[in-house]
C-alpha cells in the first residue's frame, strides 16, 4: 500500500493491528514512528522531533492550526488521534515487522517509496483528488508524487476509482506513445557538482502504462543529508 500522507498510513496500520494482521512499515528514518511519539511529547510540553511537528511543543497548538481550514496538513493527524486511542496507535506502529515479506502487506508513502519497486501496488484512497483540484497549476508537486507512486508497481497497479477516471482524462486515450520522465538529484545546480541519483520513465499509450524503466544512479559524490530525507535515497542505496 502506498499512501499520500503519513497519517493515512498510520490509520491503516491501526486498522490492521486491530484485526491482528501483521505488516511492515517502510520508515528508514523513523519519521513516521517519531510523529506518533510526538503526540505524547507535545502533550507533555516537549518539543516535537519529527518533520511533521518540528517547532511545536503543544498539541493544543497543533489542533488549533488544524481546525482553521480543511486542507491544513495537520488535519489528518488531529483526526487520527481524536478518533482513536493514542496508546493503540503507538502499539500499532511499534508492531511493524522489521523486514518486508510477501506473506504480509508493506505500508509506505509516496515520498518513502522513491527508489523502491514491488510486483503489486495499491494506491490509498487519500490519492483520490477531484479532477478540478488536480488541474490547478499549484498541484504540480502532487502530480509528481502521484507519478512516483504509480510507477512503483512492476506488474499490477490498483487505483482508487476517482483517480483512475482522472488518469483516463488527464493522460488521454491517444494511441500515440509518449514517455514521462522523472529524475531525482543531489541538488539543483549541476554546474556545482549536483548529479542524478534516480531516473524513472513511464511509457503511456491509450491511457495506461505500457512500458516502464527505473534505476538508481551512483552520483559519484555524497548525497546531502537533507536530500536523503527528502527523496528517501541514501548513499548506501546508490553505492553499487
Amino acid at each position: 500500500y502506498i499512501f499520500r500522507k503519513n497519517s493515512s498510513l498510520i490509520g491503516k496500520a491501526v486498522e490492521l493491528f486491530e484485526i491482528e494482521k501483521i505488516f511492515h512499515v517502510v520508515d528508514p528514518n523513523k519519521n513516521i514512528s517519531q510523529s506518533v511519539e510526538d503526540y505524547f511529547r507535545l502533550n507533555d510540553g516537549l518539543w516535537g522531533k519529527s518533520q511533521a511537528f518540528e517547532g511545536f511543543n503543544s498539541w493544543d497548538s497543533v489542533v488549533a492550526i488544524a481546525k482553521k481550514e480543511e486542507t491544513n496538513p495537520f488535519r489528518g493527524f488531529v483526526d487520527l488521534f481524536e478518533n482513536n486511542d493514542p496508546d493503540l496507535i503507538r502499539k500499532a506502529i511499534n508492531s511493524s515487522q522489521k523486514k518486508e515479506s510477501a506473506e504480509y502487506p508493506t505500508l509506505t508513502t509516496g515520498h518513502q517509496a522513491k527508489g523502491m519497486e514491488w510486483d503489486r501496488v495499491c494506491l490509498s484512497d487519500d490519492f483520490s483528488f477531484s479532477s478540478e483540484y488536480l488541474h490547478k497549476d499549484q498541484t504540480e508537486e502532487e502530480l509528481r508524487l502521484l507519478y512516483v507512486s504509480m510507477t512503483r508497481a512492476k506488474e499490477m497497479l490498483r487505483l482508487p476509482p476517482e483517480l483512475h477516471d482522472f488518469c483516463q482524462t488527464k493522460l488521454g486515450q491517444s494511441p500515440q506513445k509518449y514517455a514521462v520522465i522523472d529524475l531525482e538529484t543531489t541538488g539543483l545546480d549541476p554546474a556545482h557538482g549536483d548529479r542524478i541519483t534516480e531516473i524513472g520513465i513511464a511509457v503511456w499509450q491509450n491511457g495506461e502504462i505500457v512500458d516502464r524503466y527505473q534505476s538508481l544512479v551512483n552520483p559519484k559524490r555524497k548525497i546531502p543529508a537533507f536530500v536523503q530525507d527528502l527523496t528517501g535515497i541514501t548513499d548506501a542505496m546508490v553505492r553499487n
Side-chain angles (χ1 to χ4, degrees):
Y1 293 89
I2 299 182
F3 300 83
R4 176 172 160 252
K5 299 179 292 186
N6 286 354
S7 56
S8 300
L9 182 155
I10 297 168
K12 183 66 175 182
V14 171
E15 176 188 323
L16 294 172
F17 182 75
E18 287 187 305
I19 59 174
E20 299 183 352
K21 296 288 186 181
I22 61 175
F23 54 88
H24 168 71
V25 174
V26 177
D27 191 19
N29 299 317
K30 304 299 181 184
N31 191 54
I32 293 172
S33 56
Q34 186 58 60
S35 67
V36 172
E37 290 303 316
D38 278 352
Y39 168 83
F40 298 93
R41 290 181 59 83
L42 269 60
N43 273 292
D44 289 337
L46 301 174
W47 292 101
K49 291 184 175 182
S50 66
Q51 293 176 0
F53 300 115
E54 186 178 8
F56 288 89
N57 68 344
S58 166
W59 183 252
D60 288 341
S61 296
V62 172
V63 172
I65 294 173
K67 294 190 174 180
K68 284 183 178 179
E69 51 186 279
E70 191 68 29
T71 57
N72 190 285
F74 294 130
R75 167 73 64 171
F77 279 106
V78 170
D79 289 346
L80 177 71
F81 281 99
E82 286 187 347
N83 296 324
N84 296 275
D85 177 358
D87 288 322
L88 177 66
I89 295 173
R90 175 189 260 172
K91 289 177 181 177
I93 286 298
N94 289 341
S95 74
S96 169
Q97 302 297 299
K98 295 187 182 301
K99 295 183 179 180
E100 286 187 48
S101 170
E103 301 298 317
Y104 46 78
T106 292
L107 313 182
T108 186
T109 63
H111 289 292
Q112 295 286 3
K114 292 177 180 179
M116 307 179 75
E117 290 183 309
W118 295 272
D119 289 341
R120 296 176 298 279
V121 167
C122 175
L123 260 59
S124 165
D125 288 343
D126 64 351
F127 278 101
S128 294
F129 315 105
S130 67
S131 293
E132 293 76 12
Y133 174 78
L134 280 170
H135 279 290
K136 293 179 181 177
D137 292 339
Q138 63 266 34
T139 58
E140 183 179 345
E141 183 178 348
E142 294 281 10
L143 288 173
R144 284 200 297 267
L145 182 63
L146 174 59
Y147 164 78
V148 168
S149 301
M150 291 174 65
T151 54
R152 299 308 92 189
K154 293 191 288 185
E155 296 179 2
M156 186 189 79
L157 173 66
R158 198 185 94 185
L159 302 176
E162 284 185 13
L163 193 54
H164 185 273
D165 293 342
F166 165 78
C167 289
Q168 294 281 357
T169 303
K170 184 76 172 178
L171 299 172
Q173 296 295 322
S174 171
Q176 182 177 355
K177 288 183 179 180
Y178 61 95
V180 181
I181 301 173
D182 181 56
L183 299 177
E184 296 295 345
T185 66
T186 60
L188 302 176
D189 194 347
H192 287 81
D194 284 319
R195 295 292 182 264
I196 294 171
T197 57
E198 182 188 28
I199 181 170
I201 303 172
V203 179
W204 287 87
Q205 186 178 37
N206 296 321
E208 62 182 26
I209 296 176
V210 296
D211 200 2
R212 63 196 306 278
Y213 173 81
Q214 182 272 338
S215 178
L216 294 171
V217 179
N218 188 337
K220 305 296 184 180
R221 55 156 291 176
K222 291 284 188 181
I223 303 174
F226 80 93
V227 175
Q228 293 188 46
D229 289 339
L230 179 66
T231 65
I233 300 173
T234 65
D235 288 327
M237 291 169 64
V238 298
R239 186 169 295 136
N240 297 316

